[in-house]
Amino acid sequence: MEAEVEAEGSLDLSHLTEEEQSSILRVLLRDMELRRHDEGRIRTLQQTKTDPALLRTLSGAWFSEASSRRHRSRMSGSDLVHATIRRKAPKSSDVPMADLFNWRGGEEPSKSPSLEGKRRLKESMEDSAESQASFESAASRKSPTTKEAYMQYKRESVSLCSILTDGEPSSLKSNNFHSSSMLGSGMMSLFSSGVFGVVEVKGRMQFSLAFDVHKEELRVKVHRCEDISSVGDNRSDPYVKSYLLPDMSSRSKRKTAVKRKTQNPVFEQTLKYKVRANELKSRTLNLSVWHAEPLGRNVFLGELEVALGFWDWTSTQPLWQDLQPRFYLQPECISSRGSLLFSIKFIPEGFEGGLPLTGELHIWLQEAQGLLSKKGGAVDSFVRSYILPDAGCQSGQKTQVVKRTVSPTYNHTMVYDGFQTSDLEEACAELTVWQREGFKLHMIGGIRLSCGTGQSYGEAVSWMDSTEEEVSVWSSMIKNPNHWIETTLPIRTNLTQRSSD
């Protein structure tokens, strides 16, 4: 086949636009998906049908043979594009699109990377898959950019994986998404990639936790595992991977060493995280066990999750916990994407020796904790505030952008004047948390502080949809003028959309 590819040559794709390149990659993805489905159908037929003639008809082998005889000297368009990309096989997990498509005849094929390069490439591809996984299913996504399409193509392409790993790719697929029966929040299920459901999850893990207040350091000691499942020919090369959720980025990932050929590995290894003490209540520790598959996709062996807000930090003794499988969790099940810590105060007109001249509303935004973004990693975030029914420029204020953290400190005060006490019964303070991603903005969620009556100045409005907790904070502020009301409220995802947006 390689000789035929060399004879046919390769396509010059350098003239294609970004959109055209993206379209080609999406077609290749669809082509591979259909081929995999058809291969599975044929395997089923081979197991259930014993009549060779009937099998030849049902499987479509007769058509493949006829097509091969008729077009023996020609390559399919799909194979020709594959050959072009193969000749320009990327050397890193983030190859520029120009390098992927701008190959012209006469260049030499890329040399196979070293074993160390393959290992690093494999880890980089795993990190990329974990950080790129989204709440939306592939079917519901709109047209992706060329780079996004390529990243998906690279993860799924059997032909390209063969070139990158210089060998046969694993036959185990990573199409199943699962979540844990959990001690914690099970957020891991929303972002995971890997090979799941291949082996039965069993066994247990021994671990211990400690927090150094002075160094602000969480220490996770992984002691050992017992009776974990084996993979393939009764072998298991296990290691433990951890994330401090909701951060699913590579900065949050820690790994133990791999223990070879054992179902009872002893690790005695400490994984460390720098984290503030007040963040712990909003963080979840995920510990998962994996079988290390050389140059292939690692196999999931089980996991456990610990909600650190409920952990007894006076206990330092090792704890045994059963490993759990991971089951699919619907994105709409996540009703909160973190919490917002703030204080709010109302100063009536003339409260302090004739000042202020009009009533003032003060909102001191201190920090957010455990922000859960669509991709599960650290985010660049800020908070916007409006005092409804005024949703115009006069009402809108925002904090500075705090970069690369799931627990940002804003320390920003919004001040609104022109209020009468009676206005508070009709108004709503809307605080929304936003993620900045390049030039794009995505709303993570928000809160609304009001009396929650559903009406404002006698008219029905959608934004008077405060929860019981939010109403309680707003009411306490009204009843206690000139006093700060400090609270922490969940950043909810079900804010009723207002028409003035």
Side-chain angles (χ1 to χ4, degrees):
M1 178 63 183
E2 191 65 33
E4 293 176 8
V5 172
E6 295 282 342
E8 287 283 3
S10 298
L11 297 173
D12 178 7
L13 305 178
S14 60
H15 63 283
L16 297 178
T17 65
E18 177 90 2
E19 183 178 354
E20 289 168 339
Q21 294 172 10
S22 182
S23 297
I24 288 176
L25 290 177
R26 290 198 300 273
V27 171
L28 290 176
L29 279 170
R30 180 59 177 164
D31 178 67
M32 286 185 296
E33 180 183 354
L34 292 174
R35 291 189 186 191
R36 285 203 301 268
H37 286 177
D38 196 51
E39 289 168 359
R41 180 184 66 84
I42 293 174
R43 283 195 297 271
T44 302
L45 287 172
Q46 290 172 340
Q47 295 170 1
T48 57
K49 304 297 182 183
T50 57
D51 185 347
L54 180 61
L55 178 61
R56 183 173 179 273
T57 300
L58 295 177
S59 66
W62 64 272
F63 178 81
S64 298
E65 293 169 4
S67 178
S68 178
R69 287 194 298 270
R70 184 174 181 179
H71 304 289
R72 65 180 63 183
S73 61
R74 298 176 61 187
M75 292 180 65
S76 71
S78 175
D79 288 338
L80 190 56
V81 176
H82 271 287
T84 300
I85 296 177
R86 183 181 295 114
R87 293 291 297 272
K88 193 65 179 178
K91 296 181 180 179
S92 72
S93 63
D94 194 15
V95 64
M97 294 311 300
D99 291 347
L100 181 66
F101 281 95
N102 286 1
W103 183 84
R104 288 180 173 84
E107 291 187 14
E108 290 298 320
S110 300
K111 295 181 180 180
S112 297
S114 64
L115 289 176
E116 175 66 15
K118 294 175 187 176
R119 181 187 66 78
R120 292 183 180 180
L121 174 61
K122 174 176 174 286
E123 287 192 355
S124 180
M125 290 175 71
E126 286 179 355
D127 291 344
S128 178
E130 288 168 350
S131 64
Q132 289 292 328
S134 172
F135 278 127
E136 297 95 14
S137 66
S140 65
R141 289 178 187 158
K142 294 185 179 180
S143 178
T145 65
T146 308
K147 183 173 180 179
E148 289 170 340
Y150 168 65
M151 294 299 290
Q152 186 180 359
Y153 168 75
K154 180 181 62 179
R155 291 196 296 270
E156 298 295 334
S157 171
V158 175
S159 298
L160 190 54
C161 282
S162 298
I163 296 300
L164 294 175
T165 59
D166 197 23
E168 289 298 322
S170 170
S171 61
L172 303 174
K173 303 301 178 185
S174 60
N175 298 331
N176 297 326
F177 291 82
H178 303 271
S179 111
S180 64
S181 298
M182 56 213 170
L183 293 174
S185 60
M187 291 178 288
M188 193 75 176
S189 61
L190 297 172
F191 313 107
S192 301
S193 65
V195 181
F196 299 93
V198 175
V199 298
E200 176 189 4
V201 171
K202 64 175 185 176
R204 57 181 186 157
M205 181 192 302
Q206 187 187 47
F207 68 99
S208 57
L209 304 182
F211 184 74
D212 188 320
V213 178
H214 299 293
K215 293 185 178 181
E216 293 190 321
E217 185 177 77
L218 172 64
R219 296 169 184 166
V220 182
K221 186 161 187 179
V222 181
H223 295 278
R224 66 188 71 226
C225 294
E226 283 188 353
D227 194 31
I228 60 176
S229 292
S230 61
V231 179
D233 300 327
N234 292 322
R235 65 188 181 91
S236 182
D237 299 337
Y239 69 94
V240 173
K241 180 167 61 175
S242 70
Y243 285 95
L244 195 55
L245 302 178
D247 189 351
M248 274 290 298
S249 68
S250 58
R251 291 183 294 274
S252 176
K253 182 167 69 173
R254 307 286 188 271
K255 287 182 180 181
T256 68
V258 176
K259 300 300 178 180
R260 302 293 178 184
K261 298 180 180 180
T262 176
Q263 292 176 258
N264 299 285
V266 177
F267 298 103
E268 295 298 341
Q269 191 168 341
T270 300
L271 311 175
K272 299 178 181 180
Y273 289 94
K274 286 290 186 180
V275 58
R276 301 195 307 266
N278 62 349
E279 283 187 53
L280 292 176
K281 61 184 177 182
S282 64
R283 308 300 288 271
T284 297
L285 175 68
N286 177 278
L287 294 171
S288 55
V289 186
W290 297 79
H291 162 73
E293 186 68 29
L295 302 181
R297 289 187 178 273
N298 298 332
V299 180
F300 176 77
L301 301 179
E303 72 176 355
L304 59 88
E305 287 190 351
V306 182
L308 299 181
F310 297 97
W311 185 260
D312 180 7
W313 295 103
T314 63
S315 174
T316 58
Q317 295 301 311
L319 172 71
W320 282 104
Q321 180 67 37
D322 290 340
L323 295 174
Q324 303 290 338
R326 191 174 287 181
F327 301 101
Y328 182 73
L329 180 64
Q330 294 288 346
E332 54 267 25
C333 294
I334 302 297
S335 60
S336 171
R337 300 197 188 193
S339 56
L340 198 60
L341 174 62
F342 66 96
S343 298
I344 189 166
K345 176 174 65 173
F346 177 67
I347 305 177
E349 174 186 354
F351 191 85
E352 298 174 337
L355 296 175
L357 298 179
T358 62
E360 292 183 352
L361 179 65
H362 294 236
I363 304 174
W364 176 23
L365 288 165
Q366 298 168 43
E367 62 186 48
Q369 296 177 344
L371 291 183
L372 179 59
S373 68
K374 286 189 174 184
K375 295 180 180 179
V379 298
D380 298 350
S381 67
F382 66 92
V383 178
R384 271 185 182 150
S385 69
Y386 287 96
I387 303 299
L388 307 175
D390 180 8
C393 295
Q394 296 299 320
S395 171
Q397 297 186 37
K398 66 178 182 178
T399 69
Q400 78 281 11
V401 176
V402 181
K403 296 183 177 181
R404 294 189 175 185
T405 176
V406 296
S407 296
T409 298
Y410 302 112
N411 195 25
H412 184 100
T413 302
M414 283 88 164
V415 178
Y416 294 92
D417 58 13
F419 276 94
Q420 301 295 329
T421 303
S422 58
D423 292 328
L424 299 178
E425 303 286 342
E426 314 295 338
C428 170
E430 179 187 79
L431 306 175
T432 51
V433 184
W434 293 78
Q435 175 185 358
R436 189 182 72 178
E437 196 171 14
F439 294 105
K440 297 180 180 179
L441 297 177
H442 308 284
M443 191 175 80
I444 295 176
I447 62 176
R448 284 186 178 143
L449 305 170
S450 71
C451 293
T453 59
Q455 291 190 334
S456 175
Y457 297 105
E459 294 185 5
V461 291
S462 60
W463 40 263
M464 276 287 200
D465 62 341
S466 300
T467 65
E468 186 175 340
E469 287 180 293
E470 293 165 347
V471 170
S472 177
V473 172
W474 191 252
S475 299
S476 296
M477 180 200 69
I478 295 175
K479 294 176 183 177
N480 298 277
N482 210 32
H483 285 82
W484 285 108
I485 306 298
E486 182 174 316
T487 187
T488 301
L489 292 178
I491 300 168
R492 55 191 178 99
T493 60
N494 61 345
L495 295 181
T496 304
Q497 187 170 0
R498 49 187 173 89
S499 58
S500 57
D501 283 347

